[in-house]
Structure formats: structure tokens, C-alpha cells
Amino acid sequence: MSAPAVSTYLNMDLGDIHYLEQSNEDKDLLILFHPYGKDAKFALKHFSFLKDYFHLIALDLPYHGKTKIHKSHLSPSDISNILNELLVRNKNKNFYILGHSFGARLACIACSDAKQAAQKTVFYGPELGTTRYTKIFINAFTYKVFKLPAKLFLSTRLTTLISRMAYKLKLIDSIAYDFMILQQEAQSRADLMSLWKTLALSNKRLQNFKKNPANLGKAIVFFGSKDRTTPIGYYKKSKWNIPSIELTGGHFSITQQTKNKIKEFLTT
């Protein structure tokens, strides 16, 4: 049986990486990568239905939750080192991955230099650089061009005004609106800029996974039929070759049908 969730840290040169661990010593390791703006607690809550089948670790991803980063930005290898350190702590165990939304991108980057390949990977509503919100802006060129205007934009109340108007006019959905409002605190703005730089400089690693996702092991992508943030149509137009299935649910609402499919894929 799985134990209660325990708060733990990886104390590394790059920062103090927080995660929640729900130990299940005789089971394989399943690492949960949460969406942007969420945290380890969110991931553990949404995927707790897997606790009797796996030893669960839910990371607070860089610039999220209780994780504290000591560098101005992280390299792809830094992100891989987080995963590798978790694997060292759980040596002799096979590991699996579940990446939700933005977490799917971080999972790919983490696996790019992983010392061990995953057995299986599930992505739910993955961003993967395919959506209208991220396809343009998360790459090195646009980061260099737009980083100064972005800092100015985020440092004023203009963000709130424009995003509120866009939301009322139905130009953006509620998740995009929440994303913009989230960045109004000074620390959130600083974290967003650091994260943007990290992702921009690691985008090449993500693109390599389109061609060769072998480190993800046997992989599948699930989408909710009501998901307007990462709809399956964007993914199908991309060059990702991981099989995808549309199920009931939305971006953050995971239905029982979807839970059953995730459990079935990971445990059989």
C-alpha cells in the first residue's frame, strides 16, 4: 500500500527542488510533471488514482511551488539533472512519466539527457510548442527580440487591462486570462521571464523529440474533447508522431473514462 505524501527536497547547485513523494516501495516509479501555474500538490491530487499502482513523485517544476532556483535560467542539462537525481535516489526501479500540459514540455527536456529511458509516458493535453499561445514565443529568436518589450508590458497594469478586455471580447479563454493575471506579482513576473529564457534556449531539445521520442519509451497522448487550451487539432497538425486519442473532459478536468485509459496504458 502507498504511504501518505511526504514533502522532500533535492538540494542541488542549480536550486532547491521540491517534490511530494507518495512512496510505494514494491512498485515502479511514476514521475508527475504538472501544468504551468500549478504545482506538485495539484498533480498528486489529479493523479492520485494511480497511487496503488506506482511509487509517485510529483515535482514542483522550476519557478513553481516551493522549488527555488539559484540561477538566472536553467540549461536543458540542468533540467535533466533533476530527473537523474531522482533516479539515483530510486535506483533499481523502472520509471514512468506523466506530463500534463506544460509539464509535457518539461518532461521531454528532462528526458533529453536522462541516464535511463522511461518505460512508458503519458501526456495529457500537452502544450509541446504546438498551441497558439506558445508556438511563436518559446524559441530563442523571439526571446531575444521580445524580452525587453515583454518586461515593460509585464511591469505595468496594462497587462491586466488588455487581458480583461480580450477576455470579455472572447478573444482569449479563461485559462489564458488566468495566466495573464497570474503574472502581476513582482516575483511571478521575474519567474516568468526566467522560465521563458530557460524554455527558449531549450527549444531545440524539444524539437529533437519530434523526430526521436525514444527516451519516452512507449508513449501516448490523451486530449479532452472540451479542451480549448491545447486542442487535439493543433497536435495533429504538428509533426509529433506519438499516437493521440481524444477522450471526454477538458484541460484540467480529467474524467473517469480518461483515468481508466491512463491506468490501463501504464499498468498493462
Side-chain angles (χ1 to χ4, degrees):
M1 294 292 292
S2 58
V6 176
S7 177
T8 311
Y9 284 88
L10 299 173
N11 299 118
M12 307 173 69
D13 290 341
L14 58 90
D16 301 315
I17 313 302
H18 177 257
Y19 63 93
L20 294 175
E21 181 172 28
Q22 197 155 15
S23 182
N24 201 338
E25 292 301 331
D26 62 340
K27 301 295 183 181
D28 286 332
L29 185 66
L30 175 60
I31 302 177
L32 306 176
F33 291 76
H34 64 74
Y36 179 82
K38 304 299 182 181
D39 57 16
K41 186 177 180 180
F42 175 92
L44 207 57
K45 177 183 177 181
H46 275 67
F47 299 104
S48 62
F49 63 91
L50 296 166
K51 66 182 180 181
D52 292 333
Y53 304 92
F54 290 97
H55 178 150
L56 296 180
I57 286 182
L59 280 163
D60 270 339
L61 295 174
Y63 313 106
H64 288 77
K66 296 180 181 179
T67 287
K68 303 299 179 185
I69 299 300
H70 305 325
K71 301 172 66 175
S72 62
H73 70 279
L74 301 180
S75 70
S77 295
D78 286 330
I79 298 173
S80 290
N81 286 341
I82 296 171
L83 174 58
N84 286 328
E85 184 63 29
L86 287 175
L87 296 179
V88 168
R89 290 194 178 192
N90 295 275
K91 58 184 177 181
N92 302 322
K93 281 196 172 191
N94 292 323
F95 87 99
Y96 295 67
I97 289 172
L98 203 162
H100 185 183
S101 189
F102 161 82
R105 174 187 282 268
L106 265 291
C108 288
I109 297 169
C111 286
S112 63
D113 276 340
K115 298 185 183 301
Q116 180 181 339
Q119 296 295 304
K120 292 182 180 180
T121 294
V122 168
F123 289 152
Y124 182 75
E127 172 262 314
L128 296 179
T130 63
T131 76
R132 60 186 181 276
Y133 301 122
T134 59
K135 188 174 184 179
I136 296 174
F137 291 100
I138 303 183
N139 62 68
F141 175 76
T142 52
Y143 171 77
K144 291 176 181 178
V145 172
F146 291 109
K147 64 178 179 179
L148 181 57
K151 285 182 179 179
L152 295 172
F153 179 72
L154 289 172
S155 66
T156 70
R157 295 183 181 275
L158 190 61
T159 304
T160 303
L161 177 62
I162 292 176
S163 57
R164 186 173 293 146
M165 288 176 59
Y167 178 59
K168 288 183 176 180
L169 293 171
K170 298 184 178 181
L171 299 176
I172 61 174
D173 60 21
S174 59
I175 293 175
Y177 174 70
D178 291 342
F179 167 85
M180 298 305 296
I181 297 302
L182 185 67
Q183 310 308 326
Q184 293 311 289
E185 295 181 3
Q187 187 58 50
S188 294
R189 293 197 300 266
D191 287 349
L192 177 60
M193 294 302 298
S194 297
L195 178 60
W196 183 18
K197 185 174 183 180
T198 294
L199 296 177
L201 299 180
S202 61
N203 193 59
K204 186 175 180 181
R205 298 287 184 100
L206 181 70
Q207 300 307 315
N208 288 340
F209 263 84
K210 283 187 177 183
K211 303 173 184 176
N212 183 24
N215 274 8
L216 299 177
K218 184 179 180 181
I220 195 166
V221 180
F222 293 121
F223 289 89
S225 58
K226 296 182 179 179
D227 190 340
R228 298 295 176 264
T229 303
T230 56
I232 192 171
Y234 285 103
Y235 181 83
K236 286 186 172 181
K237 292 176 183 177
S238 73
K239 295 180 180 180
W240 285 84
N241 58 7
I242 302 173
S244 61
I245 299 175
E246 187 175 51
L247 301 170
T248 57
H251 193 65
F252 292 134
S253 58
I254 302 173
T255 65
Q256 189 59 50
Q257 179 200 28
T258 301
K259 291 178 181 180
N260 291 341
K261 289 293 185 181
I262 290 174
K263 182 174 69 174
E264 179 184 358
F265 177 80
L266 289 173
T267 60
T268 58

